[in-house]
Amino acid sequence: MKSFEVNFDGLVGPTHNYGGLSFGNVASQSNSQQASNPREAALQGLEKMKALMDMGFVQGVLAPQERPDVAALRSLGFGGTDAQVIEKAAKEAMPLLVASCSASSMWVANAATVSPSADTADGRVHFTAANLNCKFHRSIEHPTTSRVLGAMFADPEHFAHHAALPAVAQFGDEGAANHTRFCRSYGEAGVEFFVYGRSAFDSRYPAPQKYPARQTLEASQAVARLHGLSDAGVVFAQQNPAVIDQGVFHNDVIAVGNGELLFHHQDAFLNTEHVLAELHGKLQARGADFQSICVPRDQVAVEDAVRSYLFNSQLLSRADGSMLLIVPEECRSNPRVWQYLQSLTASGGPVREVKVFDLKQSMQNGGGPACLRLRVALKETELAAVNPGVIMTPALYGTLTRWVNTHYRDALRESDLADPQLLLECRTALDELTQILKLGAVYPFQIN
Ligand code: SUG
């Protein structure tokens, strides 16, 4: 049976702004308070989706969330009408209003961890929504994420959904950004690679000193258990705490994998040799031929990797067996990274081509090409069971482009977030979007 890796990209929501909300994420902190352009952000994302569709990849769309999150503000004690809630939050606690307006759900690599059916005990595709509990603005995403994923992957015969893990730092879970799946082909049993930043219950593991490690070992293990993965099909590895302290807040900022290939920085992991040997052994037992490409620090320093997002790229398999790397424009403007990429494609190895995309609006908040997509490996029958409304087509691309141009502002500053009109604009836009994507009622304003 045919199998596919489908990339579901997060559509950027109408409140995209630079709130400076993510301590440990260098771009988010350094672009705080700049004016954003939500319309441009959404169109840049749609361009990438269209380009992948045009290249023959199956491409999906994941809807943004309702923001401002009035319910979150109410839970923090702001009362009255929706407009009064926003007005009071703006007056008394602007940082909370900013957090409740974040369009951070666009980075759907953090929406959930997904295990394809070939890996799971019950032969279904498993999803666990990420609790994202390291940052308040992200911790409010998972209830709607679960509803949206439920509306996209509704058939219980093929899809199993798990609620987010307990919302405490000990089970901090950032979803697919710290999870990579290796396999010979997408429909065959593979090896799922979970990368964590610290252990919550075992003090023998080192931890970063400056910035938070968002993912714990115990969260990764819980997800593997929930999904019914076998010991032969998982590898757990610790991220190097020193790189977390240099701004590598998710593993997908320092490594990316696909098929039988891991592309990683020399400093990405602790005990690298052991990790690679375990991946190699477990994949070999699955009949797969694991390969890794290590980028040496003397060619690309961690700082350059963080600035350019070289590893936050999409590594895609082409029909001829070669691979294509989708990178952000920031890789081309960094001479060391660009030179490395030239040598990579000329080396005769598996990565033959690099395609560059302008995703600056998202990049300025620390979200590159890989952050913007959630990968779901599906067999033909499973793909047929996905809600067809969320699969990208030329017609859907046209409709979504018009929808963005109709509803999105082209500039947003912090002071604009207090405008009660913005809430109405967002709800009107999202109501229309649920009809376009055939999602049914998924947003709090549609349910309550
Ligand atoms: O969680 N930025 C996101 C970026 C997530 C990137 N995702 C992956 N690497 N997979 C984060 O830090 C910044 C929002 C702001 O500052 O306005 C933000 O949430």
Side-chain angles (χ1 to χ4, degrees):
M1 189 188 297
K2 270 173 94 173
S3 53
F4 311 82
E5 176 187 270
V6 185
N7 283 278
F8 290 87
D9 276 41
L11 188 55
V12 179
T15 59
H16 158 62
N17 73 97
Y18 299 117
L21 298 170
S22 278
F23 177 63
N25 167 344
V26 179
S28 155
Q29 289 184 266
S30 50
N31 291 303
S32 177
Q33 308 290 315
Q34 277 199 33
S36 64
N37 184 335
R39 185 185 302 164
E40 187 176 56
L43 294 176
Q44 286 175 344
L46 280 166
E47 276 302 305
K48 173 163 91 76
M49 296 185 225
K50 180 180 187 299
L52 263 70
M53 173 186 69
D54 288 346
M55 284 185 255
F57 296 102
V58 187
Q59 176 69 50
V61 191
L62 227 152
Q65 304 212 348
E66 178 189 341
R67 296 288 180 271
D69 187 335
V70 178
L73 292 172
R74 285 189 191 281
S75 76
L76 298 173
F78 300 102
T81 62
D82 288 350
Q84 285 166 338
V85 167
I86 290 168
E87 190 190 322
K88 284 180 198 167
K91 211 182 279 166
E92 295 168 30
M94 196 57 190
L96 299 185
L97 177 63
V98 174
S100 81
C101 288
S102 177
S104 54
S105 69
M106 74 176 84
W107 300 298
V108 294
N110 306 118
T113 306
V114 186
S115 293
S117 58
D119 297 351
T120 62
D122 66 1
R124 295 188 293 168
V125 184
H126 282 245
F127 300 81
T128 296
N131 61 25
L132 297 174
N133 74 343
C134 183
K135 311 283 175 209
F136 171 66
H137 71 288
R138 304 223 58 186
S139 70
I140 56 180
E141 292 174 25
H142 71 85
T144 297
T145 300
S146 290
R147 279 194 298 275
V148 172
L149 289 175
M152 295 165 67
F153 304 95
D155 185 347
E157 193 188 320
H158 294 293
F159 307 119
H161 295 273
H162 305 277
L165 297 178
V168 290
Q170 286 162 314
F171 289 108
D173 177 21
E174 301 275 320
N178 294 319
H179 172 261
T180 311
R181 178 179 185 254
F182 300 101
C183 58
R184 195 168 62 169
S185 81
Y186 295 121
E188 288 178 65
V191 173
E192 302 197 16
F193 183 44
F194 291 84
V195 181
Y196 55 91
R198 69 185 176 101
S199 164
F201 292 91
D202 189 337
S203 57
R204 285 171 302 178
Y205 290 77
Q209 303 298 306
K210 187 174 166 195
Y211 292 143
R214 299 193 195 183
Q215 181 91 30
T216 67
L217 166 62
E218 292 78 5
S220 298
Q221 288 169 329
V223 172
R225 268 193 301 272
L226 284 165
H227 291 193
L229 305 181
S230 66
D231 286 347
V234 290
V235 172
F236 297 97
Q238 182 162 6
Q239 209 183 342
N240 179 355
V243 300
I244 297 180
D245 281 338
Q246 289 173 80
V248 182
F249 57 98
H250 290 135
N251 179 58
D252 70 3
V253 177
I254 196 104
V256 60
N258 172 46
E260 297 172 306
L261 179 65
L262 170 64
F263 178 55
H264 69 99
H265 190 272
Q266 182 178 3
D267 296 326
F269 312 111
L270 282 184
N271 308 318
T272 308
E273 273 179 34
H274 174 82
V275 169
L276 296 179
E278 195 179 348
L279 282 169
H280 191 270
K282 287 187 169 171
L283 275 150
Q284 202 167 35
R286 298 269 204 239
D289 189 14
F290 177 71
Q291 236 190 306
S292 61
I293 300 177
C294 172
V295 181
R297 66 177 85 87
D298 60 10
Q299 283 186 43
V300 176
V302 171
E303 195 193 341
D304 285 318
V306 171
R307 283 205 183 150
S308 66
Y309 264 38
L310 165 62
F311 297 95
N312 201 261
S313 44
Q314 288 179 256
L315 194 53
L316 300 168
S317 299
R318 298 199 288 201
D320 66 359
S322 70
M323 290 207 195
L324 163 71
L325 200 65
I326 302 286
V327 301
E329 192 60 62
E330 285 72 3
C331 284
R332 185 153 52 191
S333 45
N334 181 309
R336 289 169 298 279
V337 169
W338 193 241
Q339 193 185 344
Y340 174 80
L341 284 170
Q342 302 310 302
S343 63
L344 178 71
T345 49
S347 67
V351 183
R352 302 276 163 74
E353 197 189 347
V354 170
K355 277 199 190 294
V356 181
F357 283 82
D358 180 3
L359 296 163
K360 188 162 182 232
Q361 286 290 324
S362 167
M363 282 289 289
Q364 292 190 144
N365 253 338
C371 300
L372 287 162
R373 59 96 169 96
L374 182 66
R375 299 194 271 188
V376 186
L378 295 167
K379 295 180 181 160
E380 217 168 6
T381 45
E382 294 158 352
L383 180 57
V386 176
N387 180 341
V390 299
I391 301 297
M392 187 56 85
T393 60
L396 180 59
Y397 171 75
T399 306
L400 290 174
T401 302
R402 278 190 296 280
W403 172 82
V404 168
N405 283 323
T406 306
H407 296 286
Y408 281 48
R409 299 190 185 187
D410 60 6
L412 209 54
R413 288 172 197 82
E414 191 180 273
S415 54
D416 298 320
L417 302 177
D419 176 1
Q421 192 58 35
L422 184 65
L423 175 68
L424 295 179
E425 284 170 29
C426 293
R427 287 182 175 172
T428 306
L430 293 182
D431 210 27
E432 202 177 306
L433 183 69
T434 50
Q435 291 165 46
I436 295 171
L437 300 180
K438 301 186 174 53
L439 291 174
V442 289
Y443 296 118
F445 77 91
Q446 296 174 316
I447 299 167
N448 299 324

